[in-house]
Amino acid sequence: MGRSPTLQFINNIDIKVMDKPQGYSEAKIKKLCEKYKKEAQEINKERTNQLKDQIVIFNLSESFADPSRLTGVKLKNNPIPNIQKIKKDNTSGIMLSSNYGGGTANIEFMTLTGLATCNFTSTLQVPYTQLVGKMKTVPSIVQQFPEAVAIHPYKGTFYNRKTVYKKLGIDRYYFLGSEYKIINQKKNENSKYLSDETAYDNALKQINNSNKSGLFINLVTMQNHSPYNKNVYKNADKFNASGSIFDSATQINLNNYACGLNYTDEAAQKFMKELDKIEKPVTWVFYGDHLPGIYNFLSSDMGKYGLELHETDYFIYSNKYAQEHLGAKRLTTYTNYVSPNEFSAMVAEQTNSKVTPFLALLTHVYQELPATAIPFVLNDDENSEPVMVNQDGKIITNSDLTAKQKELWHDYKLIQYDLTVGKQYSVKYLMYK
């Protein structure tokens, strides 16, 4: 959720990015680098493929989350039957978001860098604008690939994206008004935003036109962004949202939001079919960044409803070519609840791809630690412990972790501190290149 402009201005002046973890030193970081170099070697004994030879799409689906999970919400018709089937047949589950009603760029930051925003202090609200520009080197899955593009069918001026993308290693950016053009611009009915179909058409063009062995696409949609008012979709009433704890204005929002999800559902199904026609290995990570801010009847009590208001949907799909030629397979363990910073490690595992020491660390984080997020209820303590959710969907605390888990979490925080505000001792040992 947003903060006041005044507070944002103050935070940009006086930012404490992250507390220094206990034991941080050059010697300690070098020891950790050696540890995860060995872990990478062990993992890679069983891996036969390279990410650099594949096409990987990180698809942030704006505000995508199944409304039926929420207390007091019932829809007459299911808006996302295709995506539910994709989830059932492939790697999928719940992505624990650190934001509600906004914060897109923060989730994007986590997926691309593998770093968790819950390890930062509350004064660092937007890493894209407050942190990335100050980092000498920024870790990114992008750097695994010989070519990388970003596609966002909207304006590219928000969140300092152009500067950030360049620093992350993205070669070309496709925005409205950018040097590289968004093609096949379409809108659904009276929506003011370009459709998900447009986003997927642009991704397909990049895949089909690429002459490199590998390609990374950061695809950020805009179709389901707020507002969800009465006149967006003419047949929104077919979803007939009902519930005793929300008013008629919320019902209108829910109906139109569900209709937008239905358009996403149809576009995603069509996109999957197109990916299966491609004679190249393609893996598609689809995830909702946060829930829309329309659930006021629940969000007023984050203490009670915080978890369900931070649960979005994700799936990871490898096309037929990747399945047949790389042996890409569905992951079925540690997938119920994940954090966005874990996706790169999950893609490497699904495609049986070799890992760097940093990806080896993220692999252990994904497999051995609970999903994590920024506290749902913000208070004056800038160093609040993160929310932790286990594979059963239960909120736990740091004290519930085993000694081994606590050590791993501390390793992760040490490396994150080193990469962001420390001396970056680990860069040449752990980075993607």
Side-chain angles (χ1 to χ4, degrees), residues 18-31:
M18 184 176 173
D19 280 333
K20 183 187 290 188
Q22 185 177 2
Y24 178 73
S25 68
E26 182 176 5
K28 179 61 176 177
I29 295 299
K30 285 186 175 180
K31 189 174 180 180

Side-chain angles (χ1 to χ4, degrees), residues 71-91:
T71 297
V73 176
K74 185 177 181 181
L75 300 177
K76 182 178 180 181
N77 293 297
N78 178 10
I80 54 170
N82 292 314
I83 287 176
Q84 285 180 344
K85 186 176 188 308
I86 295 172
K87 288 188 65 174
K88 183 179 178 182
D89 296 338
N90 297 278
T91 303

Side-chain angles (χ1 to χ4, degrees), residues 27-41:
K28 179 61 176 177
I29 295 299
K30 285 186 175 180
K31 189 174 180 180
L32 287 180
C33 290
E34 216 29 63
K35 175 180 178 179
Y36 290 102
K37 180 180 178 182
K38 289 178 181 176
E39 294 291 341
Q41 290 169 345

Side-chain angles (χ1 to χ4, degrees), residues 55-269:
I55 297 167
V56 172
I57 306 162
F58 274 20
N59 172 199
L60 184 156
S61 186
E62 171 63 39
S63 298
F64 189 96
D66 186 351
S68 69
R69 276 196 300 272
L70 294 172
T71 297
V73 176
K74 185 177 181 181
L75 300 177
K76 182 178 180 181
N77 293 297
N78 178 10
I80 54 170
N82 292 314
I83 287 176
Q84 285 180 344
K85 186 176 188 308
I86 295 172
K87 288 188 65 174
K88 183 179 178 182
D89 296 338
N90 297 278
T91 303
S92 68
I94 301 296
M95 189 202 84
L96 185 63
S97 177
S98 281
N99 296 88
Y100 167 72
T104 296
N106 292 1
I107 307 302
E108 187 183 355
F109 168 85
M110 292 174 70
T111 63
L112 296 177
T113 64
L115 303 177
T117 55
C118 66
N119 283 331
F120 297 134
T121 71
S122 61
T123 59
L124 182 67
Q125 294 179 27
V126 186
Y128 269 13
T129 58
Q130 295 173 289
L131 173 64
V132 172
K134 300 175 183 178
M135 294 171 64
K136 184 178 179 181
T137 304
V138 185
S140 170
I141 188 174
V142 174
Q143 295 148 18
Q144 285 277 63
F145 298 84
E147 183 181 22
V149 299
I151 301 168
H152 180 41
Y154 194 62
K155 303 168 187 176
T157 52
F158 292 103
Y159 301 118
N160 201 30
R161 274 197 176 103
K162 288 184 180 180
T163 301
V164 169
Y165 284 167
K166 185 175 182 180
K167 199 152 190 177
L168 289 170
I170 290 174
D171 301 298
R172 300 187 303 280
Y173 342 107
Y174 293 79
F175 303 124
L176 291 180
S178 67
E179 176 186 354
Y180 302 101
K181 306 302 180 186
I182 297 290
I183 64 163
N184 297 352
Q185 296 186 20
K186 304 170 190 172
K187 296 178 181 178
N188 295 321
E189 302 185 46
N190 295 319
S191 173
K192 66 179 183 177
Y193 302 116
L194 290 176
S195 67
D196 284 1
E197 183 181 2
T198 293
Y200 291 138
D201 284 349
N202 279 267
L204 287 169
K205 179 185 177 183
Q206 294 305 311
I207 293 170
N208 292 323
N209 289 354
S210 176
N211 57 10
K212 299 286 181 69
S213 60
L215 170 68
F216 181 84
I217 299 176
N218 187 53
L219 178 64
V220 180
T221 73
M222 195 65 183
Q223 174 192 287
N224 294 326
H225 199 283
S226 62
Y228 314 100
N229 48 33
K230 189 171 185 178
N231 299 314
V232 179
Y233 301 119
K234 61 183 180 182
N235 293 320
D237 287 348
K238 70 181 179 181
F239 295 102
N240 192 26
S242 60
S244 59
I245 57 175
F246 57 81
D247 57 20
S248 59
T250 299
Q251 182 187 39
I252 290 171
N253 282 330
L254 274 168
N255 288 345
N256 280 275
Y257 172 65
C259 200
L261 294 184
N262 190 232
Y263 277 116
T264 297
D265 189 68
E266 293 171 353
Q269 174 71 1

